[in-house]
Amino acid sequence: MRCPFCASEETQVKDSRPTEENTSIRRRRVCPDCGGRFTTFERVQLRELTVLKRSGRKVPFTREKLQHSVEVALRKRPVDAERIDRMISGIVRQLESSGETEIHSAEIGSLVMEALRGLDAVGYVRFASVYRDFREASDFQGVLGELARDVTRDMGDVPQAGTAVPAAVAEGEMPGSAHHDQAVAERKR
Ligand SMILES: [Zn+2]
């Protein structure tokens, strides 16, 4: 396995163990050339899937691409690598067991949204902004509204003004998020 940091071909396996659900083998590897450490997972691939893009183009489904887009959304977020891996596995399993061999990219996108929503609010908003291709403030507001409903539900159906939006989101990890409440409120009048 090539080192992702320096591209050396000489990486060594430090240890191998089955993951929690025993559906894959997790190997920790180290690169003797640069000292880089990384983890690989070995798992069964049940069937070949094709992704049908919005453009009509067809590309082979790969777990790696799915994982990459999730990792971009969760960059620098405090989410454990193994939880991310379980989430990806869950999505792949759903896709593989759907009975279809061609899957619309939108379908994958909504599965990812659904999973991220329970995992990390900031990652969810980041992914949603790319996947839904936000063009207007109201699109963004819609996603924040969904999150607010989640939080409200988690708090036992007690609506609590001002606590709905996760701090990292409210504090501008997304561009231009500060004034949307006001904008929407004004539009409603
Ligand atoms: Zn290396």
Side-chain angles (χ1 to χ4, degrees), residues 169-187:
V169 175
E171 282 161 17
E173 284 206 11
M174 291 289 298
S177 61
H179 305 296
H180 295 158
D181 275 328
Q182 203 184 344
V184 169
E186 279 167 7
R187 224 174 296 143

Side-chain angles (χ1 to χ4, degrees), residues 2-9 11 30-38:
R2 185 193 295 263
C3 172
F5 308 109
C6 72
S8 165
E9 305 276 357
T11 61
V30 64
C31 171
D33 292 344
C34 73
R37 289 168 187 277
F38 61 103

Side-chain angles (χ1 to χ4, degrees), residues 47-110:
R47 55 199 296 195
E48 302 291 329
L49 297 172
T50 302
V51 181
L52 198 54
K53 300 271 213 179
R54 237 181 295 193
S55 62
R57 217 158 58 89
K58 292 178 186 180
V59 296
F61 172 81
T62 68
R63 182 187 170 96
E64 288 68 32
K65 271 189 216 161
L66 173 62
Q67 180 146 5
H68 178 73
S69 61
V70 169
E71 282 171 355
V72 167
L74 290 175
R75 187 168 287 159
K76 294 193 176 166
R77 296 296 303 155
V79 183
D80 187 68
E82 199 151 332
R83 284 190 75 191
I84 298 176
D85 195 65
R86 275 207 299 278
M87 169 194 152
I88 305 279
S89 294
I91 293 170
V92 172
R93 221 171 296 142
Q94 287 178 70
L95 295 173
E96 286 179 336
S97 58
S98 72
E100 305 289 332
T101 52
E102 278 187 14
I103 298 159
H104 287 271
S105 53
E107 196 182 323
I108 300 173
S110 55

Side-chain angles (χ1 to χ4, degrees), residues 125-146:
V125 173
R126 285 182 188 155
F127 185 86
S129 70
V130 174
Y131 164 64
R132 288 196 185 165
D133 191 16
F134 289 0
R135 293 204 172 87
E136 293 178 25
S138 58
D139 296 339
F140 186 76
Q141 188 60 38
V143 166
L144 290 187
E146 286 164 23

Side-chain angles (χ1 to χ4, degrees), residues 1 13 25-29 38-43:
M1 177 72 61
V13 175
I25 304 286
R26 184 177 202 264
R27 295 187 209 283
R28 292 199 304 182
R29 295 172 186 261
F38 61 103
T39 303
T40 57
F41 293 89
E42 176 187 309
R43 54 176 60 74

